């Protein structure tokens, strides 16, 4: 397996932001940077969520835009980072020198951590680690054989050690995607598919962020919840019992045909399980939650299978998720939490 580390567009974008702060930037100047292959990668991933024209208009008007002026959700959520960039250009320019710490040896170590939490026969494809001054709200994501990280959020909010855990987290997604690609997801019973939704993020935080949940315990000694937002993780763990209640209700709705199609299930996943808002927020607010319940609850329900039966059983069930309830219930019996059986 080969991999590349790419961040060459950042220096150019910082220079353009400095010009934007002090004088007029031409449309052709931002267009030239957005033609960089790393930005082309970003637009391919975000697809219709952010068009190139939308971003160009946004970028040229950043100095005069208020949050409420921005209609695009991704741009609105990410706007505070661009505003901070323009207000503190020296900070971000100085921080850019730390990109030199992103050495091949560092990535090799994080790849090995990800592989430790994947099936032993996993063979990863060639990988691209891409850093840009991002166009949208995501800090890190996997798309095809690339992993993207937003430099603004990295520089402003992330300790270097925490970021290392995020590298392995994203590599872990590449490994689990190899498993999903071999499965005919359209033929899986709806209930089994529901359990599968929790596995990607749940297992990534379990194996790579050393996550500690309510039921599932951290695997490794040392720091827990590395690279996870402290406020979000505490909030979601504190809401575990309400989340479990909704989990069991969703299973009941599937079994009773109240949810009887993939479209209905996906709608429910989006509304509840991927909801980024706390209970005291309105939908027009900037979301407070950096992770969804697919992360925290996924860590708990898939994590206890590892805790009780080991990694091999986790992936045996992942490949045949129809068996999830049986093994999950056995794990709950071992842990003395029969009240959560499904």
């Amino acid at each position: 397996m080969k991999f590349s580390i790419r961040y060459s567009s950042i220096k150019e974008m910082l220079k353009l932001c400095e010009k934007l702060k002090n004088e007029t930037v031409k449309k052709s100047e931002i267009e030239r940077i957005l033609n960089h292959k790393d930005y082309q990668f970003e637009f391919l991933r975000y697809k219709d969520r952010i068009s190139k024209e939308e971003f160009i208009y946004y970028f040229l008007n950043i100095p005069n835009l208020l949050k409420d002026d921005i209609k695009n959700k991704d741009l609105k959520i990410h706007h505070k980072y661009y505003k901070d960039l323009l207000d503190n250009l020296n900070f971000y320019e100085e921080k850019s020198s730390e990109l030199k710490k992103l050495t091949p040896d560092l990535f090799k170590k994080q790849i090995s951590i990800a592989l430790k939490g994947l099936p032993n026969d996993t063979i990863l494809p060639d990988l691209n680690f891409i850093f840009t001054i991002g166009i949208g709200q995501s800090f890190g994501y996997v798309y095809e054989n690339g992993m993207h990280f937003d430099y603004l959020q990295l520089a402003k909010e992330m300790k270097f050690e925490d970021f290392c855990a995020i590298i392995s987290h994203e590599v872990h997604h590449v490994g689990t995607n190899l498993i999903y690609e071999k499965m005919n997801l359209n033929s899986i019973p709806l209930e089994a598919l529901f359990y599968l939704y929790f596995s990607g993020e749940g297992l990534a935080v379990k194996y790579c962020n050393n996550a500690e949940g309510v039921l599932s315990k951290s695997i490794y000694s040392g720091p827990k919840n590395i690279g996870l937002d402290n406020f979000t993780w505490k909030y979601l763990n504190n809401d575990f019992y309400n989340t479990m209640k909704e989990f069991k209700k969703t299973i009941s709705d599937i079994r009773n045909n109240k949810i009887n199609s993939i479209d209905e299930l996906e709608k429910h996943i989006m509304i509840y399980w991927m909801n980024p808002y706390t209970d005291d927020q309105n939908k027009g607010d900037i979301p407070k939650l950096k992770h969804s319940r697919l992360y925290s609850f996924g860590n708990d329900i898939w994590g206890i299978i590892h805790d009780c039966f080991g990694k091999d059983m986790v992936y045996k069930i992942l490949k045949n998720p129809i068996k999830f309830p049986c093994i999950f219930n056995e794990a709950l019996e071992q842990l003395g939490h029969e009240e959560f059986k499904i």
Side-chain angles (χ1 to χ4, degrees):
M1 180 205 67
K2 298 178 183 178
F3 63 87
S4 67
I5 307 164
R6 296 167 15 194
Y7 50 81
S8 62
S9 70
I10 291 176
K11 188 175 181 179
E12 283 188 81
M13 191 59 132
L14 286 172
K15 287 182 179 178
L16 194 62
C17 287
E18 186 170 3
K19 185 176 181 181
L20 180 68
K21 185 176 179 180
N22 299 307
E23 56 185 288
T24 301
V25 169
K26 296 177 182 178
K27 183 179 178 181
S28 59
E29 292 177 282
I30 182 61
E31 284 180 326
R32 181 181 60 80
I33 292 180
L34 296 182
N35 285 333
H36 190 288
K37 64 180 180 179
D38 293 347
Y39 278 111
Q40 291 178 357
F41 172 86
E42 277 220 82
F43 283 109
L44 282 172
R45 183 265 178 168
Y46 277 102
K47 297 188 171 86
D48 56 355
R49 283 170 54 181
I50 309 172
S51 70
K52 189 176 287 188
E53 286 302 315
E54 272 183 304
F55 182 79
I56 289 171
Y57 176 83
Y58 165 76
F59 181 85
L60 295 176
N61 290 280
I62 289 173
N64 303 314
L65 282 174
L66 299 175
K67 182 185 72 175
D68 292 340
D69 296 331
I70 306 167
K71 304 306 177 187
N72 182 287
K73 181 181 177 182
D74 279 279
L75 295 176
K76 185 174 185 175
I77 292 172
H78 196 246
H79 180 60
K80 66 178 182 179
Y81 296 107
Y82 269 100
K83 288 292 287 183
D84 193 75
L85 168 62
L86 294 185
D87 291 340
N88 300 283
L89 271 166
N90 287 340
F91 168 81
Y92 288 94
E93 287 168 352
E94 290 171 7
K95 273 281 187 177
S96 67
S97 65
E98 295 186 11
L99 292 167
K100 295 176 182 178
K101 293 181 181 179
L102 301 173
T103 63
D105 284 345
L106 183 149
F107 282 89
K108 287 177 184 177
K109 181 178 179 180
Q110 297 309 311
I111 291 168
S112 70
I113 291 172
L115 286 169
K116 191 175 179 181
L118 288 164
N120 295 333
D121 60 354
T122 299
I123 300 175
L124 294 172
D126 292 347
L127 303 172
N128 298 306
F129 297 95
I130 301 167
F131 299 79
T132 71
I133 293 177
I135 65 170
Q137 64 175 295
S138 298
F139 167 63
Y141 59 79
V142 171
Y143 180 70
E144 295 181 344
N145 67 331
M147 278 150 283
H148 176 271
F149 304 97
D150 175 29
Y151 170 70
L152 296 184
Q153 296 179 66
L154 173 60
K156 183 68 177 177
E157 299 180 342
M158 196 71 56
K159 294 179 181 178
F160 197 71
E161 309 79 47
D162 291 343
F163 175 62
C164 289
I166 292 172
I167 295 172
S168 58
H169 178 113
E170 299 302 334
V171 173
H172 193 274
H173 284 321
V174 175
T176 50
N177 285 344
L178 295 174
I179 299 172
Y180 300 143
E181 287 167 4
K182 293 178 181 179
M183 302 169 68
N184 185 353
L185 299 179
N186 292 321
S187 68
I188 294 174
L190 210 56
E191 183 181 334
L193 186 62
F194 177 55
Y195 305 132
L196 209 58
Y197 271 102
F198 295 90
S199 60
E201 296 296 355
L203 292 176
V205 295
K206 173 75 173 179
Y207 289 122
C208 301
N209 301 87
N210 205 29
E212 181 92 304
V214 175
L215 300 178
S216 177
K217 304 307 177 186
S218 59
I219 298 176
Y220 308 115
S221 60
K224 301 174 183 178
N225 306 325
I226 310 167
L228 300 174
D229 180 66
N230 183 60
F231 168 82
T232 302
W233 204 250
K234 185 176 180 180
Y235 179 90
L236 294 176
N237 278 344
N238 286 342
D239 200 43
F240 171 82
Y241 294 96
N242 290 326
T243 308
M244 176 60 78
K245 184 178 179 180
E246 184 64 31
F247 179 65
K248 296 180 80 169
K249 181 182 181 300
T250 304
I251 295 168
S252 176
D253 286 347
I254 293 170
R255 290 173 178 175
N256 293 319
N257 290 317
K258 290 182 180 179
I259 297 175
N260 59 17
S261 71
I262 292 177
D263 287 344
E264 289 181 1
L265 180 60
E266 288 182 345
K267 182 179 179 180
H268 175 65
I269 294 287
M270 287 296 298
I271 291 172
Y272 182 79
W273 296 99
M274 297 182 71
N275 173 33
Y277 299 96
T278 59
D279 287 341
D280 62 346
Q281 286 194 280
N282 297 314
K283 293 298 184 282
D285 297 338
I286 299 296
K288 290 182 180 179
L289 301 181
K290 298 290 183 69
H291 320 295
S292 73
R293 285 173 173 80
L294 293 181
Y295 288 68
S296 59
F297 203 72
N299 171 63
D300 269 321
I301 66 172
W302 282 93
I304 61 170
I305 295 176
H306 171 94
D307 294 346
C308 294
F309 306 112
K311 183 180 77 171
D312 289 346
M313 179 61 78
V314 168
Y315 287 103
K316 181 178 179 180
I317 301 303
L318 185 70
K319 294 172 184 178
N320 190 12
I322 197 170
K323 295 184 177 181
F324 178 89
C326 178
I327 300 300
F328 177 66
N329 287 341
E330 286 184 27
L332 289 172
E333 288 178 6
Q334 279 198 28
L335 297 172
H337 283 294
E338 290 89 345
E339 72 272 23
F340 300 136
K341 290 174 71 172
I342 56 179

